[in-house]
Amino acid sequence: MANSLRGEVLNLYKNLLYLGRDYPKGADYFKRRLKNVFLKNKDVKDPEKIKELIERGEFVMKELEALYFLRKYRAMKQRYYSDINETK
C-alpha cells in the first residue's frame, strides 16, 4: 500500500514540476513553493490523509492547466480579434 502511494506522490510531484515551468511568477518561484509544500507533508503516514493530499494536488494540477489554457485563449483572441476591433 505504501509503495503505491509513494509512486502516486512522486508522479504528482513530477507532473506539477513540469506544469510549473510556465507559471506566471516564474519556474523558480513555483519550484520553491512546490518543494516546501511537499517537505511540509513528508511526515504524513496515514494513507487516508495521503490520499486527500494527492487529491488536492491533482486539483491544483487541473487549476494550473485551466490557467494556461485561459492564457493561451486570451493571447489567441487578442491576436486574431484585435484587427477586427481596430477596423471598426
Side-chain angles (χ1 to χ4, degrees):
M1 177 88 171
N3 286 337
S4 66
L5 289 177
R6 178 179 167 83
E8 285 184 50
V9 170
L10 288 173
N11 194 27
L12 177 66
Y13 185 79
K14 288 177 186 178
N15 288 336
L16 284 168
L17 200 57
Y18 179 77
L19 285 173
R21 295 177 309 147
D22 298 327
Y23 194 69
K25 289 188 176 182
D28 291 333
Y29 173 82
F30 186 85
K31 188 175 181 180
R32 263 194 321 274
R33 293 281 309 256
L34 181 66
K35 184 177 179 182
N36 288 338
V37 169
F38 272 77
L39 287 176
K40 183 179 89 172
N41 294 311
K42 74 176 184 174
D43 295 325
V44 176
K45 302 291 184 203
D46 182 28
E48 293 301 318
K49 179 67 176 168
I50 294 171
K51 287 179 184 176
E52 288 177 21
L53 292 168
I54 290 171
E55 287 176 11
R56 184 173 179 165
E58 289 171 350
F59 173 77
V60 169
M61 263 183 17
K62 289 178 185 173
E63 290 293 315
L64 282 172
E65 289 172 346
L67 173 75
Y68 297 154
F69 285 131
L70 182 61
R71 188 171 64 185
K72 287 179 184 178
Y73 169 76
R74 286 182 177 162
M76 296 281 285
K77 184 176 178 183
Q78 184 180 17
R79 206 172 287 146
Y80 291 107
Y81 292 109
S82 64
D83 295 339
I84 294 171
N85 292 335
E86 291 174 3
T87 59
K88 287 184 180 180

